[in-house]
Amino acid sequence: MTSAKHIATATLIGLGSIHAAAAVSAQDSLTITPMAEGLEAPWGVAPLPGGGLLVTEKAGRLIHEKDGTRQEVSGLPAVAVVGQGGLLDITLAQDFEQSRELFLTYAKPQGGGGAGTALASARLSEDASTLEGLTELFAMKPGSDGGQHFGSRVVEAPDGTLLVTIGERGDRPAAQDRSTHNGSIIRVNRDGSIPDDNPFVDMPDVLPEIWSYGHRNPQGAGLDLEGRLWVSEHGAKGGDEVNRIAKGANYGWPVISYGEHYSGAKIGEGSAKEGMEQPVFYWDPSIAPAGLMVYSGAQFPEWKGDMFVGSLKFDYIARLSGDPLEEVQQIKTKETARVRDVVEGPEGGIWFISESNGTVYRITP
């Protein structure tokens, strides 16, 4: 077991450079405030304009909380709670203040007892008590019986299309098979239709929703200040990655990786291969990254453009910055226990979920 002292000064590797990340005590420079407590396996959080929040619980509940009052939101889709699957991410539409539309990802029950990652849209009622007009926009093919690697984050791109991260469901070779959605990032329009400029539209034996592929289990996704998509994804034993996502690109799993199998066996062909993308940053040892946000600088101007990624394994929030990208700081306190999601609130605070504490917190100066 790695000691807390070692975690706070862990040596991390990125693009061949070795550096030590500095730990920060929140008591010295940050205020961390609980915004919702007593949650069961919280997974995704969406702070609301005007105050309050929505938070998903993996077991299939959506919670609205504002000013100390909590209610369970009705009108959710059927959810398969199996292994790592359940009710997963929640993202507000860019025009939420006008449309009240939001997007959910979840494990959808499928035939034969299986399940697959799915995406739905709905409108939040004015009193925040129910979802109205729930519409399934996408469900992965083929789904499977396993409980591993559903992903899944949903991001609305600047052009209004939706990008959803999907793990390979424990079927490693499927991440290179574009006739399935396993191990891919998919892109659809807000009505669920397929954009004409997706990279594999009209290609035989390739699913047209696929935007990129060769992913293992991306559980963090966010846009940078230029509107480009970045994801954090779990490696096996070592090799957790941060990737900048390019249209049609192959991110290599399981052919290339900077990690190894849990058995100690070698993965694939090594760490690089022509035609496969390199990570912009990777961790070894693995930190189990979940949640990714690129910060606007609203309340912390010195952090403008920096990336924040939660660690499930080592209980901290990583701040990454620079070119080449490096982990420059670890925010590690009793509140940062098993960080599942990290987002920026409309007021510029940094909101995160501690799965272990069952709490949504907000960081402010």
Side-chain angles (χ1 to χ4, degrees):
M1 179 65 69
T2 308
S3 71
K5 181 178 178 182
H6 179 71
I7 294 168
T9 59
T11 300
L12 302 167
I13 301 173
L15 292 180
S17 65
I18 300 177
H19 61 281
V24 61
S25 167
Q27 286 75 15
D28 293 342
S29 58
L30 306 175
T31 300
I32 301 183
T33 306
M35 306 302 288
E37 301 178 276
L39 301 165
E40 296 182 16
W43 214 94
V45 62
L48 294 168
L53 61 91
L54 294 167
V55 58
T56 61
E57 292 180 331
K58 191 167 75 72
R61 292 203 311 164
L62 177 62
I63 302 298
H64 172 257
E65 184 153 334
K66 185 177 183 180
D67 299 330
T69 299
R70 177 175 298 181
Q71 62 181 333
E72 185 173 345
V73 182
S74 63
L76 269 68
V79 173
V81 182
V82 52
Q84 297 171 1
L87 182 60
L88 302 175
D89 203 19
I90 181 168
T91 296
L92 304 184
Q94 295 171 6
D95 62 359
F96 177 83
E97 290 187 83
Q98 294 76 43
S99 69
R100 298 190 65 80
E101 189 170 7
L102 55 81
F103 310 106
L104 297 168
T105 64
Y106 55 100
K108 175 189 175 181
Q110 294 177 323
T117 304
L119 168 71
S121 65
R123 294 180 302 277
L124 183 67
S125 64
E126 291 296 332
D127 64 358
S129 67
T130 189
L131 298 181
E132 301 171 340
L134 181 77
T135 304
E136 180 185 295
L137 303 179
F138 165 84
M140 72 173 293
K141 299 173 184 175
S144 70
D145 294 339
Q148 292 178 284
H149 300 178
F150 288 87
S152 165
R153 298 289 172 188
V154 53
V155 174
E156 185 179 4
D159 64 4
T161 58
L162 301 174
L163 296 147
V164 178
T165 69
I166 302 173
E168 33 79 309
R169 302 299 315 287
D171 181 358
R172 292 190 291 267
Q176 293 293 319
D177 178 1
R178 289 172 293 167
S179 69
T180 78
H181 291 119
N182 299 47
S184 69
I185 294 172
I186 66 99
R187 177 176 180 253
V188 296
N189 292 315
R190 271 179 62 162
D191 64 359
S193 62
I194 297 166
D196 293 338
D197 60 344
N198 270 10
F200 307 117
V201 170
D202 298 327
M203 286 186 62
D205 302 319
V206 179
L207 293 173
E209 298 91 351
I210 293 174
W211 183 252
S212 65
Y213 63 106
H215 300 283
R216 184 174 182 268
N217 190 26
Q219 288 195 343
L223 301 175
D224 66 16
L225 302 188
E226 298 176 35
R228 300 173 299 185
L229 180 68
W230 294 73
V231 303
S232 58
E233 51 187 294
H234 293 251
K237 186 180 178 182
D240 292 344
E241 297 181 355
V242 173
N243 286 302
R244 191 173 74 191
I245 302 303
K247 175 180 179 178
N250 180 355
Y251 288 83
W253 180 259
V255 180
I256 60 172
S257 173
Y258 282 91
E260 60 186 19
H261 292 301
Y262 295 111
S263 66
K266 178 183 175 182
I267 292 173
E269 302 176 17
S271 59
K273 185 174 183 177
E274 185 176 354
M276 296 182 177
E277 300 296 317
Q278 284 288 297
V280 178
F281 181 85
Y282 69 94
W283 285 274
D284 190 9
S286 295
I287 70 164
L292 179 151
M293 176 269 288
V294 179
Y295 187 59
S296 73
Q299 290 200 30
F300 298 92
E302 68 276 18
W303 289 349
K304 183 177 181 179
D306 289 357
M307 184 180 297
F308 293 79
V309 178
S311 168
L312 293 166
K313 183 177 180 182
F314 289 146
D315 300 331
Y316 71 91
I317 299 172
R319 181 169 69 89
L320 294 89
S321 187
D323 186 10
L325 194 67
E326 293 187 328
E327 184 180 89
V328 296
Q329 188 177 53
Q330 295 176 354
I331 300 171
K332 182 175 176 64
T333 73
K334 68 182 189 306
E335 291 87 0
T336 60
R338 195 164 169 83
V339 177
R340 174 60 73 180
D341 197 12
V342 185
V343 302
E344 181 174 348
E347 82 300 339
I350 297 172
W351 296 58
F352 69 93
I353 287 174
S354 165
E355 185 177 280
S356 294
N357 295 338
T359 301
V360 176
Y361 296 98
R362 182 179 66 181
I363 300 175
T364 52

